[in-house]
Amino acid sequence: DIPIRDEHGAESNEAIEIPLNALPTAENILGVLQAERADLSKWLQFAFEYFHQERYEDFEQMLVAGVSDEVAEHYRDDTKHQISFLNAYAAYKISLIQQQHPEKSKLVGEVQEIIKKALSIDSTVDSIYVNDGLLAIELDDLEK
């Protein structure tokens, strides 16, 4: 459920119900999430649901939106979920590298930028370093 906000931005008693077994496209979900200024945790829930349903294009669209500068600005106080989005996006791109994606070198640069962005938000979050380590392992494998 996505709480509906009133004209003052406060959550009302009403909510938009979106059945997980009949998810619309990410574009539609993003429209609702943005219009209702839903918590970033809701954005993540939908992103992961797309992944579990093997709707990878929708999953990636949610990740791209979730790590955008616009979202970072709007949710600047929610560093926990910003980093969760960045970590998920980095992990996804690392998985593409591991699958021998044809644009590996481009993906490596993108992952490095994502990790750098996450560290600029909070360099004390240990989970960021997991992706950094996984990327280092992949880079070592690429050089062999």
Side-chain angles (χ1 to χ4, degrees), residues 16-133:
I16 299 170
E17 287 189 40
I18 300 174
L20 297 180
N21 62 347
L23 276 177
T25 65
E27 185 177 337
N28 290 334
I29 290 289
L30 286 166
V32 173
L33 292 169
Q34 291 166 339
E36 297 305 328
R37 297 178 305 279
D39 290 340
L40 206 49
S41 62
K42 290 283 184 197
W43 292 54
L44 277 167
Q45 287 174 354
F46 284 110
F48 290 136
E49 187 58 37
Y50 284 123
F51 182 82
H52 292 304
Q53 292 183 16
E54 298 180 4
R55 292 176 59 182
Y56 301 119
E57 287 182 25
D58 287 315
F59 171 67
E60 187 168 9
Q61 189 174 352
M62 291 294 297
L63 292 177
V64 169
V67 301
S68 70
D69 291 339
E70 178 185 334
V71 168
E73 177 61 29
H74 184 75
Y75 294 96
R76 68 180 159 268
D77 294 331
D78 188 358
T79 57
K80 174 185 172 186
H81 290 107
Q82 282 186 55
I83 289 173
S84 293
F85 252 113
L86 290 162
N87 278 336
Y89 199 31
Y92 174 66
K93 287 188 175 282
I94 290 169
S95 76
L96 294 176
I97 294 167
Q98 292 169 332
Q99 296 170 27
Q100 305 302 314
H101 193 279
E103 297 181 2
K104 284 188 271 191
S105 60
K106 179 183 173 199
L107 289 169
V108 166
E110 290 172 357
V111 172
Q112 289 169 330
E113 287 302 311
I114 294 166
I115 291 170
K116 188 171 152 183
K117 186 173 182 179
L119 289 171
S120 74
I121 293 170
D122 187 348
S123 63
T124 65
V125 178
D126 293 338
S127 61
I128 299 168
Y129 295 99
V130 172
N131 281 325
D132 196 34

